[in-house]
Amino acid sequence: RRHILTRVFEMAEHYFRGATAGGADAAVRHCAEAGRLASSVFAYETAARCYSQAIDVLPLVEPPDPKREADLCIALAETHWK
């Protein structure tokens, strides 16, 4: 299980770094999924970083999706609350 977690976080970081090269939507998806996974194993600092990365990349995604942005902001806030 630890190997799977590590791989998910590595993939999220990979997509985050490539977001400006046209992969912004994939970066948001992978970072959000990594955030959810981190939260599920009580790794809240990692979850917060992943959600923050997803939020940072979100403006590059077309068309804008205010609901997605709100969901990510709520998820980030919840990790800070825990």
Side-chain angles (χ1 to χ4, degrees):
R1 175 149 167 107
R2 184 179 201 113
H3 175 71
I4 293 169
L5 294 173
T6 301
R7 187 69 180 139
V8 168
F9 300 137
E10 287 173 353
M11 289 297 295
E13 185 67 26
H14 168 77
Y15 278 95
F16 175 72
R17 291 175 188 241
T20 58
D25 190 59
V28 172
R29 282 195 323 271
H30 284 279
C31 290
E33 181 59 30
R36 284 188 289 277
L37 186 59
S39 288
S40 75
V41 295
F42 311 107
Y44 298 118
E45 288 181 21
T46 301
R49 187 184 78 242
C50 293
Y51 287 132
S52 292
Q53 288 176 330
I55 291 166
D56 288 346
V57 173
L58 198 55
L60 301 175
V61 176
E62 292 293 332
D65 187 347
K67 183 186 179 318
R68 191 178 195 187
E69 182 177 10
D71 290 343
L72 288 168
C73 288
I74 290 167
L76 176 61
E78 287 175 345
T79 62
H80 286 296
W81 181 73
K82 296 174 182 182

Short mmCIF file of all heavy atoms in Angstrom, two decimals, residues 11-73:
data_model
loop_
_atom_site.label_atom_id
_atom_site.label_comp_id
_atom_site.label_asym_id
_atom_site.label_seq_id
_atom_site.Cartn_x
_atom_site.Cartn_y
_atom_site.Cartn_z
N MET A 11 3.00 10.87 -9.25
CA MET A 11 2.26 11.19 -10.48
C MET A 11 1.63 12.58 -10.38
O MET A 11 1.66 13.35 -11.34
CB MET A 11 1.17 10.14 -10.75
CG MET A 11 1.71 8.80 -11.17
SD MET A 11 2.62 8.87 -12.73
CE MET A 11 1.31 9.31 -13.85
N ALA A 12 1.07 12.90 -9.23
CA ALA A 12 0.48 14.22 -9.03
C ALA A 12 1.54 15.31 -9.21
O ALA A 12 1.30 16.31 -9.89
CB ALA A 12 -0.16 14.32 -7.65
N GLU A 13 2.70 15.10 -8.64
CA GLU A 13 3.79 16.08 -8.78
C GLU A 13 4.22 16.20 -10.23
O GLU A 13 4.46 17.31 -10.74
CB GLU A 13 4.96 15.68 -7.90
CG GLU A 13 6.09 16.66 -7.86
CD GLU A 13 5.73 17.98 -7.18
OE1 GLU A 13 4.84 18.01 -6.33
OE2 GLU A 13 6.37 19.00 -7.52
N HIS A 14 4.31 15.09 -10.92
CA HIS A 14 4.69 15.08 -12.34
C HIS A 14 3.70 15.91 -13.17
O HIS A 14 4.10 16.76 -13.96
CB HIS A 14 4.74 13.64 -12.84
CG HIS A 14 4.85 13.50 -14.32
ND1 HIS A 14 6.03 13.70 -14.99
CD2 HIS A 14 3.92 13.20 -15.26
CE1 HIS A 14 5.82 13.53 -16.29
NE2 HIS A 14 4.56 13.22 -16.47
N TYR A 15 2.42 15.65 -12.98
CA TYR A 15 1.40 16.40 -13.74
C TYR A 15 1.38 17.87 -13.34
O TYR A 15 1.18 18.74 -14.19
CB TYR A 15 0.02 15.77 -13.56
CG TYR A 15 -0.19 14.59 -14.47
CD1 TYR A 15 0.06 13.30 -14.04
CD2 TYR A 15 -0.63 14.77 -15.78
CE1 TYR A 15 -0.11 12.21 -14.89
CE2 TYR A 15 -0.80 13.69 -16.63
CZ TYR A 15 -0.54 12.42 -16.18
OH TYR A 15 -0.72 11.35 -17.02
N PHE A 16 1.59 18.16 -12.06
CA PHE A 16 1.62 19.55 -11.61
C PHE A 16 2.74 20.31 -12.32
O PHE A 16 2.54 21.42 -12.81
CB PHE A 16 1.81 19.60 -10.09
CG PHE A 16 1.99 21.00 -9.56
CD1 PHE A 16 0.91 21.88 -9.51
CD2 PHE A 16 3.22 21.43 -9.12
CE1 PHE A 16 1.08 23.17 -9.03
CE2 PHE A 16 3.39 22.72 -8.63
CZ PHE A 16 2.32 23.59 -8.58
N ARG A 17 3.91 19.71 -12.41
CA ARG A 17 5.05 20.38 -13.06
C ARG A 17 4.83 20.57 -14.56
O ARG A 17 5.38 21.49 -15.15
CB ARG A 17 6.34 19.59 -12.81
CG ARG A 17 6.78 19.67 -11.38
CD ARG A 17 7.99 18.78 -11.13
NE ARG A 17 8.28 18.71 -9.73
CZ ARG A 17 9.43 19.10 -9.19
NH1 ARG A 17 10.38 19.58 -9.97
NH2 ARG A 17 9.62 19.00 -7.90
N GLY A 18 4.03 19.71 -15.16
CA GLY A 18 3.78 19.83 -16.61
C GLY A 18 2.50 20.57 -16.95
O GLY A 18 2.12 20.62 -18.12
N ALA A 19 1.85 21.14 -15.98
CA ALA A 19 0.54 21.77 -16.20
C ALA A 19 0.59 22.89 -17.23
O ALA A 19 -0.33 23.04 -18.03
CB ALA A 19 -0.03 22.29 -14.89
N THR A 20 1.64 23.67 -17.22
CA THR A 20 1.71 24.81 -18.15
C THR A 20 1.97 24.36 -19.58
O THR A 20 1.80 25.15 -20.51
CB THR A 20 2.80 25.81 -17.72
OG1 THR A 20 4.05 25.14 -17.65
CG2 THR A 20 2.45 26.44 -16.38
N ALA A 21 2.34 23.11 -19.78
CA ALA A 21 2.61 22.59 -21.12
C ALA A 21 1.35 21.98 -21.75
O ALA A 21 1.44 21.24 -22.72
CB ALA A 21 3.72 21.55 -21.06
N GLY A 22 0.19 22.29 -21.18
CA GLY A 22 -1.05 21.82 -21.78
C GLY A 22 -1.74 20.71 -21.01
O GLY A 22 -2.78 20.23 -21.45
N GLY A 23 -1.22 20.34 -19.89
CA GLY A 23 -1.84 19.26 -19.12
C GLY A 23 -2.50 19.72 -17.84
O GLY A 23 -2.49 19.00 -16.85
N ALA A 24 -3.07 20.91 -17.86
CA ALA A 24 -3.62 21.49 -16.63
C ALA A 24 -4.78 20.66 -16.07
O ALA A 24 -4.85 20.44 -14.85
CB ALA A 24 -4.06 22.93 -16.86
N ASP A 25 -5.68 20.21 -16.92
CA ASP A 25 -6.82 19.44 -16.42
C ASP A 25 -6.35 18.15 -15.75
O ASP A 25 -6.84 17.79 -14.68
CB ASP A 25 -7.80 19.14 -17.55
CG ASP A 25 -9.11 18.57 -17.03
OD1 ASP A 25 -9.77 19.26 -16.21
OD2 ASP A 25 -9.45 17.44 -17.40
N ALA A 26 -5.41 17.47 -16.37
CA ALA A 26 -4.87 16.24 -15.78
C ALA A 26 -4.17 16.55 -14.47
O ALA A 26 -4.27 15.77 -13.50
CB ALA A 26 -3.91 15.55 -16.75
N ALA A 27 -3.47 17.67 -14.41
CA ALA A 27 -2.78 18.06 -13.17
C ALA A 27 -3.78 18.28 -12.04
O ALA A 27 -3.57 17.82 -10.92
CB ALA A 27 -1.95 19.31 -13.40
N VAL A 28 -4.86 18.97 -12.34
CA VAL A 28 -5.89 19.20 -11.31
C VAL A 28 -6.46 17.87 -10.84
O VAL A 28 -6.60 17.63 -9.64
CB VAL A 28 -7.00 20.14 -11.83
CG1 VAL A 28 -8.15 20.22 -10.84
CG2 VAL A 28 -6.44 21.53 -12.11
N ARG A 29 -6.80 17.00 -11.78
CA ARG A 29 -7.36 15.69 -11.41
C ARG A 29 -6.41 14.88 -10.54
O ARG A 29 -6.81 14.34 -9.51
CB ARG A 29 -7.70 14.88 -12.67
CG ARG A 29 -8.98 15.28 -13.35
CD ARG A 29 -9.46 14.23 -14.35
NE ARG A 29 -8.40 13.57 -15.10
CZ ARG A 29 -7.91 14.01 -16.26
NH1 ARG A 29 -8.36 15.13 -16.79
NH2 ARG A 29 -6.96 13.33 -16.88
N HIS A 30 -5.15 14.79 -10.95
CA HIS A 30 -4.18 13.99 -10.20
C HIS A 30 -3.87 14.59 -8.84
O HIS A 30 -3.74 13.87 -7.85
CB HIS A 30 -2.89 13.80 -11.02
CG HIS A 30 -3.04 12.80 -12.11
ND1 HIS A 30 -2.96 11.45 -11.92
CD2 HIS A 30 -3.28 12.97 -13.44
CE1 HIS A 30 -3.14 10.82 -13.06
NE2 HIS A 30 -3.33 11.72 -14.00
N CYS A 31 -3.72 15.90 -8.78
CA CYS A 31 -3.44 16.55 -7.50
C CYS A 31 -4.63 16.41 -6.54
O CYS A 31 -4.44 16.16 -5.35
CB CYS A 31 -3.09 18.02 -7.70
SG CYS A 31 -1.47 18.27 -8.48
N ALA A 32 -5.84 16.56 -7.05
CA ALA A 32 -7.02 16.40 -6.21
C ALA A 32 -7.13 14.96 -5.70
O ALA A 32 -7.44 14.74 -4.52
CB ALA A 32 -8.27 16.80 -6.98
N GLU A 33 -6.89 14.00 -6.57
CA GLU A 33 -6.95 12.60 -6.14
C GLU A 33 -5.87 12.31 -5.10
O GLU A 33 -6.13 11.60 -4.11
CB GLU A 33 -6.80 11.66 -7.34
CG GLU A 33 -6.87 10.20 -6.99
CD GLU A 33 -8.17 9.79 -6.31
OE1 GLU A 33 -9.22 10.39 -6.57
OE2 GLU A 33 -8.13 8.85 -5.49
N ALA A 34 -4.68 12.84 -5.30
CA ALA A 34 -3.62 12.65 -4.31
C ALA A 34 -4.01 13.30 -2.97
O ALA A 34 -3.73 12.74 -1.90
CB ALA A 34 -2.31 13.25 -4.82
N GLY A 35 -4.67 14.43 -3.03
CA GLY A 35 -5.15 15.08 -1.81
C GLY A 35 -6.16 14.23 -1.08
O GLY A 35 -6.10 14.07 0.14
N ARG A 36 -7.11 13.66 -1.82
CA ARG A 36 -8.11 12.78 -1.22
C ARG A 36 -7.45 11.56 -0.59
O ARG A 36 -7.79 11.15 0.52
CB ARG A 36 -9.15 12.35 -2.24
CG ARG A 36 -10.16 13.43 -2.59
CD ARG A 36 -11.29 12.90 -3.45
NE ARG A 36 -10.87 12.60 -4.81
CZ ARG A 36 -10.78 13.51 -5.78
NH1 ARG A 36 -11.07 14.77 -5.54
NH2 ARG A 36 -10.40 13.16 -6.99
N LEU A 37 -6.51 10.99 -1.30
CA LEU A 37 -5.82 9.81 -0.79
C LEU A 37 -5.02 10.15 0.47
O LEU A 37 -5.05 9.41 1.46
CB LEU A 37 -4.90 9.23 -1.87
CG LEU A 37 -4.21 7.93 -1.56
CD1 LEU A 37 -5.23 6.84 -1.26
CD2 LEU A 37 -3.34 7.51 -2.73
N ALA A 38 -4.31 11.26 0.44
CA ALA A 38 -3.54 11.68 1.61
C ALA A 38 -4.45 11.90 2.82
O ALA A 38 -4.13 11.48 3.93
CB ALA A 38 -2.74 12.94 1.30
N SER A 39 -5.58 12.53 2.60
CA SER A 39 -6.53 12.75 3.69
C SER A 39 -7.03 11.43 4.27
O SER A 39 -7.22 11.31 5.48
CB SER A 39 -7.73 13.57 3.23
OG SER A 39 -7.37 14.91 3.02
N SER A 40 -7.22 10.45 3.40
CA SER A 40 -7.76 9.17 3.85
C SER A 40 -6.79 8.41 4.76
O SER A 40 -7.21 7.53 5.51
CB SER A 40 -8.16 8.30 2.66
OG SER A 40 -7.03 7.74 2.02
N VAL A 41 -5.51 8.75 4.68
CA VAL A 41 -4.52 8.10 5.55
C VAL A 41 -3.96 9.09 6.58
O VAL A 41 -2.89 8.89 7.13
CB VAL A 41 -3.39 7.43 4.73
CG1 VAL A 41 -3.93 6.29 3.89
CG2 VAL A 41 -2.62 8.44 3.89
N PHE A 42 -4.72 10.17 6.80
CA PHE A 42 -4.40 11.16 7.83
C PHE A 42 -3.11 11.93 7.58
O PHE A 42 -2.51 12.45 8.52
CB PHE A 42 -4.39 10.52 9.22
CG PHE A 42 -5.62 9.69 9.48
CD1 PHE A 42 -5.55 8.30 9.49
CD2 PHE A 42 -6.84 10.29 9.68
CE1 PHE A 42 -6.69 7.54 9.71
CE2 PHE A 42 -7.99 9.54 9.91
CZ PHE A 42 -7.91 8.14 9.93
N ALA A 43 -2.69 12.02 6.33
CA ALA A 43 -1.50 12.80 5.96
C ALA A 43 -1.97 14.19 5.52
O ALA A 43 -1.94 14.54 4.34
CB ALA A 43 -0.74 12.09 4.85
N TYR A 44 -2.41 14.98 6.50
CA TYR A 44 -3.10 16.23 6.18
C TYR A 44 -2.18 17.29 5.58
O TYR A 44 -2.62 18.09 4.75
CB TYR A 44 -3.82 16.76 7.42
CG TYR A 44 -4.88 15.80 7.90
CD1 TYR A 44 -4.81 15.21 9.16
CD2 TYR A 44 -5.93 15.44 7.07
CE1 TYR A 44 -5.78 14.32 9.58
CE2 TYR A 44 -6.91 14.54 7.47
CZ TYR A 44 -6.81 13.99 8.74
OH TYR A 44 -7.77 13.10 9.14
N GLU A 45 -0.92 17.33 5.97
CA GLU A 45 0.00 18.31 5.36
C GLU A 45 0.20 18.00 3.88
O GLU A 45 0.22 18.90 3.04
CB GLU A 45 1.33 18.34 6.10
CG GLU A 45 1.24 18.97 7.47
CD GLU A 45 2.58 19.01 8.18
OE1 GLU A 45 3.63 18.93 7.51
OE2 GLU A 45 2.56 19.14 9.42
N THR A 46 0.35 16.73 3.57
CA THR A 46 0.49 16.32 2.18
C THR A 46 -0.80 16.61 1.41
O THR A 46 -0.76 17.10 0.28
CB THR A 46 0.84 14.83 2.09
OG1 THR A 46 2.07 14.61 2.78
CG2 THR A 46 0.97 14.37 0.65
N ALA A 47 -1.93 16.33 2.02
CA ALA A 47 -3.21 16.61 1.38
C ALA A 47 -3.34 18.09 1.08
O ALA A 47 -3.75 18.48 -0.02
CB ALA A 47 -4.36 16.14 2.27
N ALA A 48 -2.97 18.93 2.04
CA ALA A 48 -3.06 20.38 1.84
C ALA A 48 -2.18 20.82 0.68
O ALA A 48 -2.58 21.65 -0.15
CB ALA A 48 -2.69 21.11 3.12
N ARG A 49 -0.98 20.27 0.60
CA ARG A 49 -0.08 20.62 -0.51
C ARG A 49 -0.68 20.21 -1.85
O ARG A 49 -0.68 20.98 -2.82
CB ARG A 49 1.29 19.97 -0.33
CG ARG A 49 2.29 20.45 -1.38
CD ARG A 49 3.64 19.76 -1.30
NE ARG A 49 3.51 18.43 -1.91
CZ ARG A 49 3.71 17.29 -1.26
NH1 ARG A 49 4.04 17.27 0.00
NH2 ARG A 49 3.58 16.14 -1.87
N CYS A 50 -1.25 19.01 -1.91
CA CYS A 50 -1.85 18.53 -3.15
C CYS A 50 -3.05 19.38 -3.57
O CYS A 50 -3.18 19.75 -4.74
CB CYS A 50 -2.27 17.07 -2.99
SG CYS A 50 -0.88 15.93 -2.80
N TYR A 51 -3.91 19.69 -2.62
CA TYR A 51 -5.07 20.54 -2.94
C TYR A 51 -4.62 21.93 -3.37
O TYR A 51 -5.18 22.52 -4.30
CB TYR A 51 -6.02 20.63 -1.76
CG TYR A 51 -6.81 19.37 -1.50
CD1 TYR A 51 -6.90 18.83 -0.23
CD2 TYR A 51 -7.50 18.73 -2.54
CE1 TYR A 51 -7.65 17.69 0.01
CE2 TYR A 51 -8.23 17.58 -2.31
CZ TYR A 51 -8.30 17.06 -1.03
OH TYR A 51 -9.04 15.92 -0.79
N SER A 52 -3.60 22.46 -2.71
CA SER A 52 -3.08 23.78 -3.08
C SER A 52 -2.54 23.78 -4.50
O SER A 52 -2.75 24.72 -5.27
CB SER A 52 -1.99 24.23 -2.12
OG SER A 52 -2.53 24.48 -0.85
N GLN A 53 -1.84 22.71 -4.87
CA GLN A 53 -1.33 22.59 -6.22
C GLN A 53 -2.48 22.53 -7.23
O GLN A 53 -2.42 23.19 -8.28
CB GLN A 53 -0.44 21.35 -6.36
CG GLN A 53 0.89 21.50 -5.66
CD GLN A 53 1.71 20.23 -5.71
OE1 GLN A 53 1.18 19.12 -5.74
NE2 GLN A 53 3.02 20.39 -5.69
N ALA A 54 -3.51 21.79 -6.92
CA ALA A 54 -4.67 21.71 -7.82
C ALA A 54 -5.30 23.08 -8.00
O ALA A 54 -5.63 23.48 -9.12
CB ALA A 54 -5.70 20.71 -7.27
N ILE A 55 -5.43 23.82 -6.91
CA ILE A 55 -6.02 25.16 -6.97
C ILE A 55 -5.13 26.11 -7.77
O ILE A 55 -5.62 26.93 -8.55
CB ILE A 55 -6.29 25.69 -5.55
CG1 ILE A 55 -7.42 24.88 -4.90
CG2 ILE A 55 -6.62 27.18 -5.57
CD1 ILE A 55 -7.54 25.06 -3.41
N ASP A 56 -3.81 25.98 -7.60
CA ASP A 56 -2.88 26.85 -8.34
C ASP A 56 -2.98 26.64 -9.84
O ASP A 56 -2.83 27.59 -10.62
CB ASP A 56 -1.44 26.57 -7.90
CG ASP A 56 -1.13 27.08 -6.51
OD1 ASP A 56 -1.92 27.89 -5.97
OD2 ASP A 56 -0.09 26.67 -5.95
N VAL A 57 -3.22 25.42 -10.27
CA VAL A 57 -3.27 25.08 -11.70
C VAL A 57 -4.65 25.33 -12.30
O VAL A 57 -4.78 25.56 -13.50
CB VAL A 57 -2.84 23.60 -11.89
CG1 VAL A 57 -3.04 23.15 -13.32
CG2 VAL A 57 -1.39 23.41 -11.47
N LEU A 58 -5.66 25.33 -11.49
CA LEU A 58 -7.04 25.43 -11.98
C LEU A 58 -7.29 26.59 -12.94
O LEU A 58 -8.02 26.42 -13.92
CB LEU A 58 -8.00 25.49 -10.80
CG LEU A 58 -9.46 25.18 -11.09
CD1 LEU A 58 -9.63 23.83 -11.76
CD2 LEU A 58 -10.27 25.26 -9.82
N PRO A 59 -6.68 27.78 -12.76
CA PRO A 59 -6.93 28.86 -13.72
C PRO A 59 -6.47 28.55 -15.14
O PRO A 59 -6.91 29.21 -16.09
CB PRO A 59 -6.13 30.04 -13.15
CG PRO A 59 -6.03 29.75 -11.69
CD PRO A 59 -5.94 28.25 -11.60
N LEU A 60 -5.63 27.54 -15.31
CA LEU A 60 -5.16 27.17 -16.64
C LEU A 60 -6.15 26.27 -17.38
O LEU A 60 -5.99 26.01 -18.57
CB LEU A 60 -3.81 26.46 -16.55
CG LEU A 60 -2.67 27.24 -15.89
CD1 LEU A 60 -1.43 26.35 -15.78
CD2 LEU A 60 -2.36 28.50 -16.68
N VAL A 61 -7.15 25.76 -16.67
CA VAL A 61 -8.12 24.84 -17.26
C VAL A 61 -9.24 25.63 -17.91
O VAL A 61 -9.79 26.56 -17.32
CB VAL A 61 -8.70 23.89 -16.18
CG1 VAL A 61 -9.77 22.99 -16.77
CG2 VAL A 61 -7.59 23.07 -15.54
N GLU A 62 -9.57 25.27 -19.14
CA GLU A 62 -10.68 25.89 -19.87
C GLU A 62 -11.76 24.85 -20.12
O GLU A 62 -11.43 23.71 -20.46
CB GLU A 62 -10.18 26.45 -21.21
CG GLU A 62 -9.26 27.63 -21.07
CD GLU A 62 -9.95 28.87 -20.52
OE1 GLU A 62 -11.17 29.03 -20.73
OE2 GLU A 62 -9.26 29.67 -19.87
N PRO A 63 -12.99 25.18 -19.98
CA PRO A 63 -13.54 26.44 -19.49
C PRO A 63 -13.45 26.50 -17.97
O PRO A 63 -13.31 25.46 -17.31
CB PRO A 63 -15.01 26.40 -19.95
CG PRO A 63 -15.35 24.94 -19.94
CD PRO A 63 -14.07 24.23 -20.35
N PRO A 64 -13.55 27.69 -17.39
CA PRO A 64 -13.52 27.81 -15.93
C PRO A 64 -14.65 27.00 -15.29
O PRO A 64 -15.73 26.86 -15.87
CB PRO A 64 -13.76 29.31 -15.70
CG PRO A 64 -13.37 29.96 -16.98
CD PRO A 64 -13.68 28.97 -18.07
N ASP A 65 -14.38 26.45 -14.13
CA ASP A 65 -15.35 25.61 -13.44
C ASP A 65 -15.43 26.06 -11.97
O ASP A 65 -14.69 25.56 -11.13
CB ASP A 65 -14.95 24.15 -13.54
CG ASP A 65 -15.98 23.20 -12.99
OD1 ASP A 65 -16.93 23.65 -12.30
OD2 ASP A 65 -15.86 21.98 -13.25
N PRO A 66 -16.32 27.01 -11.67
CA PRO A 66 -16.41 27.54 -10.31
C PRO A 66 -16.75 26.47 -9.26
O PRO A 66 -16.27 26.54 -8.14
CB PRO A 66 -17.53 28.58 -10.39
CG PRO A 66 -17.70 28.89 -11.83
CD PRO A 66 -17.24 27.69 -12.59
N LYS A 67 -17.56 25.48 -9.63
CA LYS A 67 -17.90 24.42 -8.67
C LYS A 67 -16.67 23.61 -8.31
O LYS A 67 -16.44 23.29 -7.14
CB LYS A 67 -19.00 23.52 -9.20
CG LYS A 67 -19.40 22.46 -8.17
CD LYS A 67 -20.37 21.47 -8.74
CE LYS A 67 -20.77 20.39 -7.77
NZ LYS A 67 -19.75 19.80 -6.95
N ARG A 68 -15.89 23.27 -9.30
CA ARG A 68 -14.66 22.51 -9.06
C ARG A 68 -13.72 23.31 -8.16
O ARG A 68 -13.13 22.76 -7.24
CB ARG A 68 -13.99 22.21 -10.41
CG ARG A 68 -12.87 21.24 -10.36
CD ARG A 68 -12.37 21.02 -11.78
NE ARG A 68 -11.53 19.87 -11.89
CZ ARG A 68 -10.86 19.54 -13.01
NH1 ARG A 68 -11.00 20.28 -14.09
NH2 ARG A 68 -10.09 18.49 -13.04
N GLU A 69 -13.61 24.60 -8.44
CA GLU A 69 -12.76 25.46 -7.60
C GLU A 69 -13.28 25.49 -6.16
O GLU A 69 -12.50 25.36 -5.21
CB GLU A 69 -12.71 26.86 -8.16
CG GLU A 69 -11.81 27.79 -7.38
CD GLU A 69 -11.70 29.16 -7.98
OE1 GLU A 69 -12.45 29.50 -8.91
OE2 GLU A 69 -10.84 29.92 -7.51
N ALA A 70 -14.58 25.63 -6.00
CA ALA A 70 -15.16 25.66 -4.65
C ALA A 70 -14.93 24.33 -3.94
O ALA A 70 -14.56 24.32 -2.75
CB ALA A 70 -16.65 25.96 -4.73
N ASP A 71 -15.11 23.22 -4.63
CA ASP A 71 -14.89 21.91 -4.02
C ASP A 71 -13.44 21.75 -3.55
O ASP A 71 -13.19 21.22 -2.46
CB ASP A 71 -15.23 20.79 -5.00
CG ASP A 71 -16.73 20.67 -5.28
OD1 ASP A 71 -17.54 21.22 -4.49
OD2 ASP A 71 -17.08 20.03 -6.30
N LEU A 72 -12.50 22.20 -4.37
CA LEU A 72 -11.09 22.11 -3.99
C LEU A 72 -10.77 23.02 -2.80
O LEU A 72 -10.03 22.63 -1.90
CB LEU A 72 -10.19 22.46 -5.18
CG LEU A 72 -10.15 21.42 -6.29
CD1 LEU A 72 -9.47 21.99 -7.53
CD2 LEU A 72 -9.42 20.16 -5.82
N CYS A 73 -11.34 24.20 -2.79
CA CYS A 73 -11.12 25.12 -1.67
C CYS A 73 -11.70 24.56 -0.37
O CYS A 73 -11.08 24.67 0.70
CB CYS A 73 -11.73 26.49 -1.96
SG CYS A 73 -10.80 27.41 -3.21
#
